[in-house]
Amino acid sequence: MNLESPKVVLDKSAEETFNFLSDIKNFEKLMPENISKFEVLDTDKFLFALKGMPEIVLKKKEATPNSKIVLGAAGGKLDFVLIADVSEIEANKSEVTLNFSGEFNAMMAMMIKGPISKFLETLAKNIPASV
C-alpha cells in the first residue's frame, strides 16, 4: 500500500526544511491533536500513540542531505516506511511530500487506509507552521 500526502510549499530552503525534519523531536510539533503520547527514545527513534490506536515506534533509517528522510517501523506487527521528500523550488522555497509505504493484507489495508491518509495529511499540513 502506497499513500502520498498533498505537497506543501515552505518559505524555507531545502536545507532548513531537511534539518527540521531530521531532528526527530520536531515530529511532536507535527502530530495531530488527538495524540495521546510522544516520547523520544533515542537520537533517531521516537514513539507516539494516537487516541484509540496502538503505540508506534519510528526510527530514522536513512537520510539523504537536503532531499530525503526515511523513517521506518521499529518493531511491532506492522512493517512500513514513512518517507519525507524535500525538494528545492528556489533559494528560500522548498516543498515536502510525505509518502507512506507498507505491505499489508487486504483486510488490514482497508482498515488503515483512511486513518493513515488523514494522519499524513495532518503531518504535512503542520509542517509550514512548525519549521
Side-chain angles (χ1 to χ4, degrees), residues 44-112:
D44 63 353
K45 193 183 329 183
F46 66 94
L47 172 150
F48 73 96
L50 303 175
K51 288 185 180 107
M53 300 285 284
E55 291 181 354
I56 295 173
V57 178
L58 285 177
K59 179 178 175 60
K60 191 181 341 171
K61 304 240 179 196
E62 183 187 321
T64 306
N66 305 339
S67 66
K68 184 180 191 176
I69 297 163
V70 178
L71 300 173
K77 295 180 180 118
L78 303 177
D79 188 26
F80 65 90
V81 292
L82 176 63
I83 301 166
D85 284 313
V86 179
S87 46
E88 189 158 322
I89 298 171
E90 52 190 59
N92 282 321
K93 238 188 205 345
S94 59
E95 75 179 12
V96 179
T97 306
L98 300 176
N99 296 289
F100 174 91
S101 181
E103 295 290 321
F104 306 104
N105 66 41
M107 185 63 133
M108 177 67 80
M110 200 169 71
M111 286 174 29
I112 66 175

Side-chain angles (χ1 to χ4, degrees), residues 35-48:
I35 188 166
S36 60
K37 185 174 189 177
F38 187 93
E39 192 178 316
V40 173
L41 303 173
D42 204 339
T43 56
D44 63 353
K45 193 183 329 183
F46 66 94
L47 172 150
F48 73 96

